[in-house]
Amino acid sequence: MDDESTDVEKKVSEEELVENYQKHFDKNMAMRLLVKLRKATRDKPKVIAGTTGAIVTTLGSLLSALENPATPSHMKAVIIGAIGYILLPLDLIPDFTPVVGYADDLASAAGVVAAVGAYSEFSLEKLDAYIDQMES
């Protein structure tokens, strides 16, 4: 019985942690950045899109996993942190630095994407359809 109550307390505290992070998290800002970066790279070859194209896949995967109700609460907190790092323009290498601006963001988020990949249903095709629908 004691282990069961500890598990319930742990789950409640994880959910409170996620709620606390979400108070300071703007999903719309993340989605706007995702759309902006995809528009800038979708008609370009992968070699030219480079890191910016990779950050589209990374950010899209993180947002998709965040929206999935099956994603565990503790992972959602980590996802929010990774998305926040991508959104924050001033970090290890500022995002407005040409070519490598998103490289540190990508490196930081790669481990999170690997951990939550099973919860993500992101695809570039779905994102492109969403962008096309927005533009029509």
Side-chain angles (χ1 to χ4, degrees), residues 67-78:
E67 290 298 310
N68 187 340
T71 304
S73 296
H74 68 281
M75 290 306 301
K76 286 186 178 190
V78 172

Side-chain angles (χ1 to χ4, degrees), residues 41 46-56 58 99-104 106:
T41 59
K46 208 174 207 178
V47 72
I48 294 173
T51 304
T52 305
I55 205 76
V56 167
T58 300
V99 183
V100 295
Y102 285 110
D104 65 319
L106 183 61

Side-chain angles (χ1 to χ4, degrees), residues 84-115:
Y85 191 76
I86 291 170
L87 293 177
L88 186 65
L90 297 175
D91 45 41
L92 187 59
I93 302 172
D95 294 343
F96 50 80
T97 304
V99 183
V100 295
Y102 285 110
D104 65 319
D105 299 356
L106 183 61
S108 298
V112 177
V113 170

